Amino acid sequence: MTTINELNTIAQPNWCPGCGNFAILMALKNAVIQLNTPVENFLLVSGIGCSGKLPHWIKLFGFHGIHGRALPVATGAKLANHKLTVIAHVGDGDCYSIGTNHFIHAARRNINMTCLAHNNQIYGLTKGQAGPTSDKGVKTKTTPRGNFETPINPLALAMTSGATFVARGFAGDVDHLTSLIVSAIKHKGFALVDILQPCVTFNKVNTYSWYKKRSYKLDKKYDPSDKEEAFKKANQWGRKIPIGIIYQEKKQPSYEDELPQIKRNPLVKHSISNVSVKPFLEELM
Ligand code: SF4
């Protein structure tokens, strides 16, 4: 069984002390250990932002991509070798703004991968501009008189787009977040875990205590297969914020299930010894 020490890298995270990203990294390590899957089966893909640095600080295969494009890279990797456990680490600005179209299409295709969204409701790496999930009225460097834009609702958007697993976690509760990440990885299909991640340096509104006061865990009686109820929960924000598995549909085939080319073997295992690319090249000349 893998240990925490085996997942640690020599390099230390350079996030600000107290940043919610530390808890997400810890929850991911816990999840990898609990899943008891060989570490070489994991692939982490990230975009740009403070969240994007995470693959550097856990000893798993990783690819640090470009802004908003973690999901297309993760999709390509998954289709090349669908036996891999592919996890995309994205930020709210990264995924819900510049990469929104990729998010919608990954969800609608139900690609079997996990998307962990570090949602701090602000652009942290670029030092505190309002982002797509910033609350209305919040004052930031780019909204000194208060944000007048309506924030995006990532959970509702994911469900509307066709995601089959939609959850919300909180970086202030590592054990609960670990269980959500484990469930998301085990789920067959596109799984989003939107994580309330305090940015202690630039977001002085949505702090640990702000989230702690408002977040509550969905109880055992809650049925995540009820889409109508799930939309109600996804829309609950402000005084009360639900955390847990908001929506799960277990019977949808994943994108890879529909591809006859990879039914028997991952693409990377296909022999290409008798394939000649010469005719294609000649056609292009
Ligand atoms: Fe974390 Fe914010 Fe610092 Fe980035 S700027 S490392 S999100 S606290």
Side-chain angles (χ1 to χ4, degrees):
M1 195 193 227
T2 313
T3 63
I4 288 273
N5 276 345
E6 284 166 342
L7 293 173
N8 289 340
T9 52
I10 301 167
Q12 295 293 313
N14 66 358
W15 291 312
C16 311
C19 173
N21 282 324
F22 285 99
I24 300 175
L25 178 61
M26 180 49 72
L28 178 66
K29 286 178 179 172
N30 290 344
V32 168
I33 291 166
Q34 284 182 25
L35 285 160
N36 203 16
T37 305
V39 285
E40 59 271 23
N41 283 8
F42 286 91
L43 172 69
L44 308 185
V45 182
S46 65
I48 296 295
C50 297
S51 60
K53 302 180 193 174
L54 188 142
H56 296 271
W57 298 317
I58 178 168
K59 225 184 262 173
L60 298 174
F61 289 124
F63 185 93
H64 192 167
I66 55 172
H67 208 191
R69 317 293 174 219
L71 289 175
V73 174
T75 300
K78 184 73 189 178
L79 295 184
N81 185 359
H82 65 285
K83 299 288 181 199
L84 289 176
T85 297
V86 178
I87 303 170
H89 277 273
V90 297
D92 47 305
D94 182 41
C95 183
Y96 303 146
S97 185
I98 192 165
T100 330
N101 55 342
H102 301 303
F103 176 65
I104 290 169
H105 294 292
R108 113 183 140 77
R109 291 178 177 136
N110 201 30
I111 295 161
N112 187 13
M113 61 187 182
T114 300
C115 177
L116 301 180
H118 304 216
N119 185 353
N120 54 22
Q121 300 187 251
I122 203 146
Y123 283 98
L125 191 71
T126 47
K127 309 216 177 308
Q129 299 84 359
T133 53
S134 297
D135 284 325
K136 250 189 168 161
V138 77
K139 289 186 180 170
T140 68
K141 285 184 182 161
T142 48
T143 56
R145 279 175 282 175
N147 181 29
F148 58 82
E149 293 184 7
T150 303
I152 216 160
N153 181 329
L155 307 186
L157 178 63
M159 279 192 282
T160 307
S161 307
T164 49
F165 182 102
V166 176
R168 182 189 279 127
F170 171 37
D173 189 338
V174 174
D175 289 345
H176 184 249
L177 181 58
T178 301
S179 73
L180 292 179
I181 296 175
V182 168
S183 302
I185 292 173
K186 282 184 177 167
H187 175 78
K188 198 157 183 256
F190 187 79
L192 168 71
V193 185
D194 181 75
I195 305 163
L196 306 172
Q197 176 249 306
C199 168
V200 293
T201 303
F202 294 111
N203 189 338
K204 303 292 185 189
V205 177
N206 308 109
T207 59
Y208 283 99
S209 61
W210 191 94
Y211 288 126
K212 221 168 240 171
K213 230 180 266 169
R214 291 162 175 80
S215 61
Y216 72 95
K217 286 182 194 137
L218 294 169
D219 63 29
K220 290 208 169 77
K221 280 186 263 158
Y222 176 74
D223 174 12
S225 68
D226 183 339
K227 205 166 190 177
E228 221 176 299
E229 266 314 300
F231 270 111
K232 284 186 197 156
K233 291 294 179 202
N235 282 314
Q236 200 175 23
W237 184 263
R239 283 169 54 181
K240 289 186 91 191
I241 303 173
I243 58 173
I245 301 174
I246 307 281
Y247 179 65
Q248 186 168 20
E249 150 72 82
K250 293 183 177 165
K251 291 196 183 130
Q252 283 289 336
S254 70
Y255 189 80
E256 309 85 80
D257 285 343
E258 307 281 19
L259 289 175
Q261 304 91 318
I262 58 174
K263 272 247 147 53
R264 287 209 344 251
N265 259 328
L267 273 187
V268 288
K269 301 266 183 200
H270 286 213
S271 167
I272 53 167
S273 56
N274 59 354
V275 177
S276 168
V277 292
K278 211 167 161 225
F280 300 116
L281 290 177
E282 278 169 1
E283 207 179 311
L284 294 171
M285 299 298 250

